[in-house]
Amino acid sequence: MKTYIKKIYKPMLIFLAVAFLYNCQNQQKNQQTKEEKKMNVIKENFGNVDNKEIYLFTIKNENGMEVNITNYGGIVTSILVPDKNGDFDDVVLGYDNLDGYLKETPYFGAIVGRYANRIAKGKFTLDGVEYILAANNGENHLHGGIKGLDKVVWDAEEFQSEDGAGVKLHYLSPDGEEGYPGNLDITVFYTLTNSNELKIEYSAKTDKPTPVNLTHHSYFNLAGTSGRDILEHVLFIDADKYTVIDESLIPTGELRDVSVTPMDFRKPTTIGSRINKVEGGYDHNYVLNNGGEFAKVTELYDPVSGRIVEVFTSEPGIQFYSGNFLDGSITGKKDVVYSKHFGLCLETQHFPDSPNQVNFPNTILRPGEEYKYTTVYKFSVR
Ligand code: GLA
């Protein structure tokens, strides 16, 4: 009997010990994965502006996609995504360091506002009061003025969420800044999700009625740093109409049907195939068919690399800007020269000059209301 117990007892002890060790190891592993997940936002110093520290945040998702964001101007400095062979490259224009952004930038990757796009002659009347804004684009006001949201230092905080990780940016634009009425309290959440999406959630509150129109100004080039321009990219825009503009790019008020014009992107079309028929190139606001609901509104595809970016939003418009003003005078990341049409912007927005256009959807935010919308840039390959 004794030997029998011994026989059973010994292997049992060994089994329990092994099971115990295995369990410990597993717990350690789980702990590690949790920590690894926690670590997918890295915060580094990127310089100093106005005696404030500027950070560069690196966010990486489970698929190896990587996004860099700085709290100077809320700029997305890089987006690394794979092509159809799995090779990663950076698909947005910008600079290697903060200095580039401080010297001169055509809004590369920035948060743009308070009013993205143009306000005619830098003037609007609200509740009987005329407001004068900076004329920083000929006689018109563009992208929030001389020192818009793309040139201010935002408070920044990294976060983890259910679907990914990101950076929360906050900025309080004081009453009168760049001529706009009211203290505008702005929050932007940038999230990189594990579905290869860059999600941008904008919100704002004011203490006086004021126009608000925020957007994101990345210049995409899905060919990466290969040196190709965007003219071979194929674009789809779900819009039956666009806002007709005058020679200073201010809407005339007319919403024109895109049918049988080079403006029609309802069927995916190569950008370069008709761009010569559009004076100056594409720099137009499309009237989206989304009916104000969050939906896919645009798809951009580079047949060579196979990279795709789809845009989802609830905003009524999107500015398709084909990088017409890039002229080779800027040398960007990795010493690539940004010549004409080297990048394109897909800026979700309300229509340009809405504060002066009675028939355009409202852009006036009033105290007690919340400005709020989301745009998603989703990356994939085909
Ligand atoms: C926007 C405008 C363009 C141009 C760029 C910045 O997209 O619509 O006309 O001003 O920004 O260069």
Side-chain angles (χ1 to χ4, degrees):
M1 184 68 176
K2 244 187 182 176
T3 42
Y4 174 72
I5 289 173
K6 250 189 193 169
K7 253 190 195 164
I8 290 259
Y9 193 62
K10 214 173 162 191
M12 239 171 80
L13 259 186
I14 293 171
F15 173 77
L16 282 175
V18 169
F20 176 74
L21 281 175
Y22 181 75
N23 193 31
C24 280
Q25 247 181 2
N26 252 0
Q27 265 183 5
Q28 228 176 359
K29 252 195 201 160
N30 279 343
Q31 190 70 24
Q32 263 173 7
T33 352
K34 264 190 201 156
E35 269 162 24
E36 268 166 25
K37 277 199 172 151
K38 260 191 204 153
M39 280 180 44
N40 51 19
V41 185
I42 297 166
K43 181 179 177 181
E44 289 163 293
N45 179 280
F46 199 44
N48 282 280
V49 173
D50 303 338
N51 288 324
K52 287 179 200 146
E53 193 164 4
I54 306 300
Y55 302 104
L56 186 69
F57 296 90
T58 305
I59 315 164
K60 215 173 183 166
N61 75 5
E62 286 174 2
N63 317 313
M65 179 176 163
E66 196 180 300
V67 173
N68 278 285
I69 296 167
T70 172
N71 60 320
Y72 175 73
I75 296 171
V76 171
T77 62
S78 74
I79 300 180
L80 294 172
V81 285
D83 66 3
K84 60 186 173 193
N85 303 316
D87 292 331
F88 283 77
D89 203 352
D90 191 348
V91 294
V92 287
L93 309 191
Y95 295 101
D96 284 318
N97 51 47
L98 183 61
D99 258 12
Y101 294 100
L102 296 178
K103 275 187 198 133
E104 193 214 350
T105 166
Y107 308 93
F108 285 147
I111 298 292
V112 172
R114 291 186 184 192
Y115 199 96
N117 218 302
R118 292 173 177 79
I119 295 182
K121 299 190 170 64
K123 280 184 204 163
F124 63 93
T125 301
L126 176 54
D127 299 338
V129 181
E130 184 179 73
Y131 293 92
I132 313 279
L133 308 169
N136 59 330
N137 189 240
E139 56 174 6
N140 300 321
H141 176 82
L142 174 69
H143 290 335
I146 294 160
K147 191 175 177 184
L149 302 180
D150 61 298
K151 291 180 189 71
V152 302
V153 181
W154 296 67
D155 306 323
E157 206 179 289
E158 62 271 48
F159 66 85
Q160 307 286 321
S161 64
E162 287 271 300
D163 55 349
V167 179
K168 175 189 176 187
L169 298 173
H170 171 258
Y171 178 67
L172 183 70
S173 175
D175 190 3
E177 189 168 48
E178 296 295 314
Y180 289 98
N183 291 295
L184 190 68
D185 198 321
I186 315 162
T187 304
V188 174
F189 284 90
Y190 274 117
T191 309
L192 172 62
T193 74
N194 287 318
S195 317
N196 286 6
E197 298 160 330
L198 177 63
K199 179 163 80 180
I200 312 175
E201 294 163 284
Y202 305 85
S203 60
K205 281 188 172 162
T206 184
D207 56 6
K208 281 185 192 162
T210 191
V212 186
N213 188 30
L214 306 179
T215 194
H216 173 72
H217 211 289
S218 269
Y219 285 67
F220 296 102
N221 184 332
L222 299 180
T225 52
S226 68
R228 275 192 292 123
D229 62 28
I230 52 86
L231 294 180
E232 279 170 29
H233 284 34
V234 176
L235 182 64
F236 159 75
I237 305 177
D238 190 8
D240 294 336
K241 292 187 171 130
Y242 70 101
T243 49
V244 178
I245 41 177
D246 67 14
E247 52 302 327
S248 72
L249 309 185
I250 294 292
T252 61
E254 185 195 346
L255 308 183
R256 193 176 289 170
D257 196 326
V258 294
S259 306
V260 246
T261 77
M263 302 301 293
D264 192 351
F265 284 95
R266 290 173 300 180
K267 282 200 195 96
T269 308
T270 305
I271 292 168
S273 65
R274 301 170 303 184
I275 198 167
N276 292 336
K277 296 187 182 134
V278 181
E279 216 194 313
Y282 295 100
D283 196 354
H284 295 81
N285 171 66
Y286 281 80
V287 179
L288 295 169
N289 291 337
N290 59 3
E293 299 293 321
F294 183 79
K296 175 171 164 175
V297 295
T298 306
E299 180 176 310
L300 180 69
Y301 170 55
D302 171 33
V304 181
S305 66
R307 291 192 186 96
I308 296 170
V309 59
E310 293 163 275
V311 186
F312 299 75
T313 194
S314 55
E315 282 292 272
I318 197 164
Q319 184 84 6
F320 165 37
Y321 168 59
S322 55
N324 315 323
F325 301 123
L326 297 173
D327 59 4
S329 60
I330 291 176
T331 302
K333 287 180 274 185
K334 293 194 177 165
D335 290 331
V336 178
V337 175
Y338 296 153
S339 40
K340 198 168 182 179
H341 308 314
F342 213 78
L344 67 88
C345 304
L346 297 166
E347 307 156 55
T348 57
Q349 62 183 7
H350 267 63
F351 306 168
D353 197 33
S354 299
N356 294 309
Q357 304 267 353
V358 282
N359 296 324
F360 287 179
N362 173 53
T363 53
I364 305 301
L365 181 73
R366 293 183 181 273
E369 296 173 349
E370 190 178 17
Y371 173 92
K372 205 174 170 61
Y373 89 92
T374 300
T375 287
V376 166
Y377 295 96
K378 183 177 172 63
F379 295 87
S380 59
V381 288
R382 180 156 73 220

